[in-house]
Amino acid sequence: MEDADRAGDPVRTNAMARALRDITVESITREDGMRAGELLGATRMKDAIDASVALLAGPGDRVLTSDAQDLRALCDAAGANAVVVDC
């Protein structure tokens, strides 16, 4: 949200604000962090937040990201049946 605001794009800012109403916030446990590290090792990727999102995504969840290619790869490797949306 902050990046959209900083960019000064009111259309993107408004779209992001609407999307945030439907977002679920999950806490990341130590176990989640360990699993994310394992996923990163298995996929040879580097982004711990993306790996955590992939692990926490449930079937049919929509994951909004600016890095859809990496997140799709992580979701596939994690067995997450989430819908990754590039935005």
Side-chain angles (χ1 to χ4, degrees):
M1 181 73 180
E2 184 177 328
D3 286 344
D5 282 336
R6 201 175 315 139
D9 182 349
V11 172
R12 188 170 180 175
T13 300
N14 289 337
M16 186 71 80
R18 284 191 305 277
L20 285 174
R21 284 181 265 174
D22 297 324
I23 289 178
T24 302
V25 176
E26 297 281 342
S27 296
I28 298 173
T29 65
R30 179 178 176 84
E31 182 179 307
D32 293 333
M34 298 296 284
R35 290 179 46 227
E38 292 169 1
L39 180 59
L40 291 174
T43 59
R44 301 182 146 213
M45 300 180 100
K46 298 179 182 176
D47 193 314
I49 298 300
D50 282 356
S52 298
V53 168
L55 289 168
L56 294 172
D61 284 353
R62 289 185 342 151
V63 179
L64 307 178
T65 181
S66 61
D67 194 5
Q69 183 177 354
D70 285 355
L71 207 43
R72 279 189 191 104
L74 288 164
C75 284
D76 288 346
N81 196 13
V83 178
V84 178
V85 180
D86 193 11
C87 57

PDB file of all heavy atoms in Angstrom, residues 24-49:
ATOM      1  N   THR A  24      -6.525 -11.397   4.579  1.00  0.00           N
ATOM      2  CA  THR A  24      -6.366 -12.040   5.878  1.00  0.00           C
ATOM      3  C   THR A  24      -4.909 -11.909   6.302  1.00  0.00           C
ATOM      4  O   THR A  24      -4.005 -12.203   5.526  1.00  0.00           O
ATOM      5  CB  THR A  24      -6.725 -13.538   5.786  1.00  0.00           C
ATOM      6  OG1 THR A  24      -8.064 -13.651   5.329  1.00  0.00           O
ATOM      7  CG2 THR A  24      -6.568 -14.224   7.126  1.00  0.00           C
ATOM      8  N   VAL A  25      -4.696 -11.463   7.526  1.00  0.00           N
ATOM      9  CA  VAL A  25      -3.342 -11.330   8.054  1.00  0.00           C
ATOM     10  C   VAL A  25      -3.033 -12.568   8.886  1.00  0.00           C
ATOM     11  O   VAL A  25      -3.806 -12.947   9.761  1.00  0.00           O
ATOM     12  CB  VAL A  25      -3.215 -10.059   8.931  1.00  0.00           C
ATOM     13  CG1 VAL A  25      -1.829  -9.971   9.550  1.00  0.00           C
ATOM     14  CG2 VAL A  25      -3.525  -8.824   8.102  1.00  0.00           C
ATOM     15  N   GLU A  26      -1.928 -13.213   8.573  1.00  0.00           N
ATOM     16  CA  GLU A  26      -1.503 -14.416   9.277  1.00  0.00           C
ATOM     17  C   GLU A  26      -0.183 -14.133   9.992  1.00  0.00           C
ATOM     18  O   GLU A  26       0.689 -13.479   9.434  1.00  0.00           O
ATOM     19  CB  GLU A  26      -1.288 -15.571   8.298  1.00  0.00           C
ATOM     20  CG  GLU A  26      -2.514 -16.012   7.559  1.00  0.00           C
ATOM     21  CD  GLU A  26      -3.406 -16.896   8.399  1.00  0.00           C
ATOM     22  OE1 GLU A  26      -2.940 -17.443   9.412  1.00  0.00           O
ATOM     23  OE2 GLU A  26      -4.583 -17.042   8.025  1.00  0.00           O
ATOM     24  N   SER A  27      -0.052 -14.648  11.183  1.00  0.00           N
ATOM     25  CA  SER A  27       1.226 -14.574  11.883  1.00  0.00           C
ATOM     26  C   SER A  27       2.125 -15.690  11.382  1.00  0.00           C
ATOM     27  O   SER A  27       1.656 -16.789  11.081  1.00  0.00           O
ATOM     28  CB  SER A  27       1.022 -14.743  13.390  1.00  0.00           C
ATOM     29  OG  SER A  27       0.258 -13.686  13.897  1.00  0.00           O
ATOM     30  N   ILE A  28       3.396 -15.410  11.299  1.00  0.00           N
ATOM     31  CA  ILE A  28       4.366 -16.416  10.875  1.00  0.00           C
ATOM     32  C   ILE A  28       5.059 -16.948  12.120  1.00  0.00           C
ATOM     33  O   ILE A  28       5.683 -16.197  12.863  1.00  0.00           O
ATOM     34  CB  ILE A  28       5.386 -15.816   9.890  1.00  0.00           C
ATOM     35  CG1 ILE A  28       4.656 -15.331   8.642  1.00  0.00           C
ATOM     36  CG2 ILE A  28       6.467 -16.844   9.548  1.00  0.00           C
ATOM     37  CD1 ILE A  28       5.534 -14.581   7.677  1.00  0.00           C
ATOM     38  N   THR A  29       4.922 -18.246  12.343  1.00  0.00           N
ATOM     39  CA  THR A  29       5.538 -18.876  13.503  1.00  0.00           C
ATOM     40  C   THR A  29       6.982 -19.283  13.175  1.00  0.00           C
ATOM     41  O   THR A  29       7.396 -19.253  12.008  1.00  0.00           O
ATOM     42  CB  THR A  29       4.750 -20.132  13.910  1.00  0.00           C
ATOM     43  OG1 THR A  29       4.865 -21.099  12.852  1.00  0.00           O
ATOM     44  CG2 THR A  29       3.283 -19.818  14.174  1.00  0.00           C
ATOM     45  N   ARG A  30       7.678 -19.698  14.191  1.00  0.00           N
ATOM     46  CA  ARG A  30       9.045 -20.201  13.980  1.00  0.00           C
ATOM     47  C   ARG A  30       9.018 -21.404  13.035  1.00  0.00           C
ATOM     48  O   ARG A  30       9.854 -21.525  12.142  1.00  0.00           O
ATOM     49  CB  ARG A  30       9.659 -20.570  15.321  1.00  0.00           C
ATOM     50  CG  ARG A  30      11.059 -21.118  15.225  1.00  0.00           C
ATOM     51  CD  ARG A  30      11.614 -21.421  16.621  1.00  0.00           C
ATOM     52  NE  ARG A  30      12.901 -22.030  16.560  1.00  0.00           N
ATOM     53  CZ  ARG A  30      14.052 -21.388  16.451  1.00  0.00           C
ATOM     54  NH1 ARG A  30      14.057 -20.072  16.407  1.00  0.00           N
ATOM     55  NH2 ARG A  30      15.195 -22.026  16.393  1.00  0.00           N
ATOM     56  N   GLU A  31       8.040 -22.282  13.235  1.00  0.00           N
ATOM     57  CA  GLU A  31       7.910 -23.452  12.361  1.00  0.00           C
ATOM     58  C   GLU A  31       7.659 -23.029  10.916  1.00  0.00           C
ATOM     59  O   GLU A  31       8.222 -23.604   9.985  1.00  0.00           O
ATOM     60  CB  GLU A  31       6.779 -24.353  12.849  1.00  0.00           C
ATOM     61  CG  GLU A  31       6.610 -25.605  12.012  1.00  0.00           C
ATOM     62  CD  GLU A  31       5.490 -26.496  12.530  1.00  0.00           C
ATOM     63  OE1 GLU A  31       5.502 -26.833  13.727  1.00  0.00           O
ATOM     64  OE2 GLU A  31       4.608 -26.820  11.714  1.00  0.00           O
ATOM     65  N   ASP A  32       6.799 -22.017  10.724  1.00  0.00           N
ATOM     66  CA  ASP A  32       6.547 -21.496   9.373  1.00  0.00           C
ATOM     67  C   ASP A  32       7.848 -20.988   8.754  1.00  0.00           C
ATOM     68  O   ASP A  32       8.121 -21.227   7.577  1.00  0.00           O
ATOM     69  CB  ASP A  32       5.532 -20.346   9.396  1.00  0.00           C
ATOM     70  CG  ASP A  32       4.140 -20.765   9.802  1.00  0.00           C
ATOM     71  OD1 ASP A  32       3.777 -21.943   9.590  1.00  0.00           O
ATOM     72  OD2 ASP A  32       3.413 -19.914  10.350  1.00  0.00           O
ATOM     73  N   GLY A  33       8.638 -20.291   9.549  1.00  0.00           N
ATOM     74  CA  GLY A  33       9.914 -19.765   9.062  1.00  0.00           C
ATOM     75  C   GLY A  33      10.864 -20.873   8.657  1.00  0.00           C
ATOM     76  O   GLY A  33      11.557 -20.775   7.632  1.00  0.00           O
ATOM     77  N   MET A  34      10.895 -21.931   9.435  1.00  0.00           N
ATOM     78  CA  MET A  34      11.751 -23.072   9.113  1.00  0.00           C
ATOM     79  C   MET A  34      11.277 -23.733   7.808  1.00  0.00           C
ATOM     80  O   MET A  34      12.088 -24.064   6.939  1.00  0.00           O
ATOM     81  CB  MET A  34      11.746 -24.085  10.253  1.00  0.00           C
ATOM     82  CG  MET A  34      12.298 -23.547  11.558  1.00  0.00           C
ATOM     83  SD  MET A  34      14.028 -23.090  11.459  1.00  0.00           S
ATOM     84  CE  MET A  34      14.765 -24.706  11.496  1.00  0.00           C
ATOM     85  N   ARG A  35       9.974 -23.902   7.676  1.00  0.00           N
ATOM     86  CA  ARG A  35       9.421 -24.484   6.447  1.00  0.00           C
ATOM     87  C   ARG A  35       9.697 -23.595   5.238  1.00  0.00           C
ATOM     88  O   ARG A  35       9.986 -24.087   4.139  1.00  0.00           O
ATOM     89  CB  ARG A  35       7.915 -24.728   6.604  1.00  0.00           C
ATOM     90  CG  ARG A  35       7.615 -25.869   7.575  1.00  0.00           C
ATOM     91  CD  ARG A  35       6.115 -26.127   7.778  1.00  0.00           C
ATOM     92  NE  ARG A  35       5.358 -26.158   6.545  1.00  0.00           N
ATOM     93  CZ  ARG A  35       4.205 -25.512   6.366  1.00  0.00           C
ATOM     94  NH1 ARG A  35       3.667 -24.769   7.311  1.00  0.00           N
ATOM     95  NH2 ARG A  35       3.574 -25.613   5.216  1.00  0.00           N
ATOM     96  N   ALA A  36       9.623 -22.283   5.438  1.00  0.00           N
ATOM     97  CA  ALA A  36       9.920 -21.348   4.347  1.00  0.00           C
ATOM     98  C   ALA A  36      11.379 -21.496   3.916  1.00  0.00           C
ATOM     99  O   ALA A  36      11.688 -21.489   2.724  1.00  0.00           O
ATOM    100  CB  ALA A  36       9.623 -19.912   4.778  1.00  0.00           C
ATOM    101  N   GLY A  37      12.270 -21.643   4.875  1.00  0.00           N
ATOM    102  CA  GLY A  37      13.676 -21.855   4.551  1.00  0.00           C
ATOM    103  C   GLY A  37      13.888 -23.139   3.766  1.00  0.00           C
ATOM    104  O   GLY A  37      14.683 -23.171   2.809  1.00  0.00           O
ATOM    105  N   GLU A  38      13.200 -24.183   4.159  1.00  0.00           N
ATOM    106  CA  GLU A  38      13.291 -25.453   3.432  1.00  0.00           C
ATOM    107  C   GLU A  38      12.770 -25.304   2.000  1.00  0.00           C
ATOM    108  O   GLU A  38      13.355 -25.835   1.052  1.00  0.00           O
ATOM    109  CB  GLU A  38      12.519 -26.540   4.168  1.00  0.00           C
ATOM    110  CG  GLU A  38      13.152 -26.931   5.489  1.00  0.00           C
ATOM    111  CD  GLU A  38      12.250 -27.800   6.346  1.00  0.00           C
ATOM    112  OE1 GLU A  38      11.113 -28.136   5.915  1.00  0.00           O
ATOM    113  OE2 GLU A  38      12.673 -28.144   7.464  1.00  0.00           O
ATOM    114  N   LEU A  39      11.654 -24.571   1.861  1.00  0.00           N
ATOM    115  CA  LEU A  39      11.092 -24.334   0.532  1.00  0.00           C
ATOM    116  C   LEU A  39      12.070 -23.535  -0.332  1.00  0.00           C
ATOM    117  O   LEU A  39      12.273 -23.849  -1.504  1.00  0.00           O
ATOM    118  CB  LEU A  39       9.749 -23.604   0.643  1.00  0.00           C
ATOM    119  CG  LEU A  39       9.029 -23.281  -0.662  1.00  0.00           C
ATOM    120  CD1 LEU A  39       8.728 -24.545  -1.465  1.00  0.00           C
ATOM    121  CD2 LEU A  39       7.737 -22.512  -0.367  1.00  0.00           C
ATOM    122  N   LEU A  40      12.687 -22.527   0.254  1.00  0.00           N
ATOM    123  CA  LEU A  40      13.663 -21.736  -0.494  1.00  0.00           C
ATOM    124  C   LEU A  40      14.849 -22.596  -0.920  1.00  0.00           C
ATOM    125  O   LEU A  40      15.347 -22.469  -2.039  1.00  0.00           O
ATOM    126  CB  LEU A  40      14.140 -20.543   0.337  1.00  0.00           C
ATOM    127  CG  LEU A  40      13.094 -19.455   0.567  1.00  0.00           C
ATOM    128  CD1 LEU A  40      13.632 -18.405   1.521  1.00  0.00           C
ATOM    129  CD2 LEU A  40      12.664 -18.815  -0.748  1.00  0.00           C
ATOM    130  N   GLY A  41      15.307 -23.469  -0.028  1.00  0.00           N
ATOM    131  CA  GLY A  41      16.408 -24.358  -0.383  1.00  0.00           C
ATOM    132  C   GLY A  41      16.037 -25.297  -1.518  1.00  0.00           C
ATOM    133  O   GLY A  41      16.824 -25.535  -2.439  1.00  0.00           O
ATOM    134  N   ALA A  42      14.817 -25.816  -1.474  1.00  0.00           N
ATOM    135  CA  ALA A  42      14.362 -26.754  -2.495  1.00  0.00           C
ATOM    136  C   ALA A  42      14.178 -26.084  -3.855  1.00  0.00           C
ATOM    137  O   ALA A  42      14.389 -26.711  -4.896  1.00  0.00           O
ATOM    138  CB  ALA A  42      13.054 -27.412  -2.064  1.00  0.00           C
ATOM    139  N   THR A  43      13.800 -24.810  -3.835  1.00  0.00           N
ATOM    140  CA  THR A  43      13.525 -24.106  -5.093  1.00  0.00           C
ATOM    141  C   THR A  43      14.683 -23.221  -5.543  1.00  0.00           C
ATOM    142  O   THR A  43      14.634 -22.658  -6.627  1.00  0.00           O
ATOM    143  CB  THR A  43      12.266 -23.221  -4.955  1.00  0.00           C
ATOM    144  OG1 THR A  43      12.482 -22.283  -3.896  1.00  0.00           O
ATOM    145  CG2 THR A  43      11.031 -24.067  -4.696  1.00  0.00           C
ATOM    146  N   ARG A  44      15.691 -23.082  -4.678  1.00  0.00           N
ATOM    147  CA  ARG A  44      16.848 -22.214  -4.955  1.00  0.00           C
ATOM    148  C   ARG A  44      16.426 -20.756  -5.160  1.00  0.00           C
ATOM    149  O   ARG A  44      17.007 -20.039  -5.961  1.00  0.00           O
ATOM    150  CB  ARG A  44      17.645 -22.721  -6.146  1.00  0.00           C
ATOM    151  CG  ARG A  44      18.159 -24.106  -5.926  1.00  0.00           C
ATOM    152  CD  ARG A  44      18.975 -24.598  -7.074  1.00  0.00           C
ATOM    153  NE  ARG A  44      20.002 -25.447  -6.514  1.00  0.00           N
ATOM    154  CZ  ARG A  44      21.202 -25.583  -7.000  1.00  0.00           C
ATOM    155  NH1 ARG A  44      21.549 -24.932  -8.066  1.00  0.00           N
ATOM    156  NH2 ARG A  44      22.071 -26.373  -6.413  1.00  0.00           N
ATOM    157  N   MET A  45      15.402 -20.368  -4.448  1.00  0.00           N
ATOM    158  CA  MET A  45      14.932 -18.987  -4.504  1.00  0.00           C
ATOM    159  C   MET A  45      15.370 -18.287  -3.221  1.00  0.00           C
ATOM    160  O   MET A  45      15.899 -18.928  -2.317  1.00  0.00           O
ATOM    161  CB  MET A  45      13.427 -18.950  -4.725  1.00  0.00           C
ATOM    162  CG  MET A  45      13.039 -19.634  -6.033  1.00  0.00           C
ATOM    163  SD  MET A  45      11.289 -19.628  -6.347  1.00  0.00           S
ATOM    164  CE  MET A  45      11.213 -18.267  -7.479  1.00  0.00           C
ATOM    165  N   LYS A  46      15.132 -16.972  -3.131  1.00  0.00           N
ATOM    166  CA  LYS A  46      15.708 -16.203  -2.030  1.00  0.00           C
ATOM    167  C   LYS A  46      14.738 -15.433  -1.153  1.00  0.00           C
ATOM    168  O   LYS A  46      15.105 -14.999  -0.084  1.00  0.00           O
ATOM    169  CB  LYS A  46      16.728 -15.207  -2.590  1.00  0.00           C
ATOM    170  CG  LYS A  46      17.883 -15.852  -3.293  1.00  0.00           C
ATOM    171  CD  LYS A  46      18.821 -14.802  -3.836  1.00  0.00           C
ATOM    172  CE  LYS A  46      19.962 -15.470  -4.590  1.00  0.00           C
ATOM    173  NZ  LYS A  46      20.838 -14.486  -5.209  1.00  0.00           N
ATOM    174  N   ASP A  47      13.505 -15.223  -1.582  1.00  0.00           N
ATOM    175  CA  ASP A  47      12.611 -14.319  -0.867  1.00  0.00           C
ATOM    176  C   ASP A  47      11.812 -15.057   0.209  1.00  0.00           C
ATOM    177  O   ASP A  47      10.869 -15.792  -0.082  1.00  0.00           O
ATOM    178  CB  ASP A  47      11.663 -13.638  -1.852  1.00  0.00           C
ATOM    179  CG  ASP A  47      10.936 -12.462  -1.235  1.00  0.00           C
ATOM    180  OD1 ASP A  47      10.417 -12.603  -0.102  1.00  0.00           O
ATOM    181  OD2 ASP A  47      10.875 -11.407  -1.876  1.00  0.00           O
ATOM    182  N   ALA A  48      12.186 -14.829   1.469  1.00  0.00           N
ATOM    183  CA  ALA A  48      11.549 -15.529   2.595  1.00  0.00           C
ATOM    184  C   ALA A  48      10.076 -15.147   2.752  1.00  0.00           C
ATOM    185  O   ALA A  48       9.265 -15.989   3.142  1.00  0.00           O
ATOM    186  CB  ALA A  48      12.313 -15.243   3.883  1.00  0.00           C
ATOM    187  N   ILE A  49       9.739 -13.914   2.447  1.00  0.00           N
ATOM    188  CA  ILE A  49       8.337 -13.490   2.564  1.00  0.00           C
ATOM    189  C   ILE A  49       7.497 -14.208   1.509  1.00  0.00           C
ATOM    190  O   ILE A  49       6.423 -14.743   1.809  1.00  0.00           O
ATOM    191  CB  ILE A  49       8.189 -11.956   2.439  1.00  0.00           C
ATOM    192  CG1 ILE A  49       8.952 -11.254   3.561  1.00  0.00           C
ATOM    193  CG2 ILE A  49       6.714 -11.554   2.429  1.00  0.00           C
ATOM    194  CD1 ILE A  49       8.493 -11.619   4.961  1.00  0.00           C
TER     195      ILE A  49
END
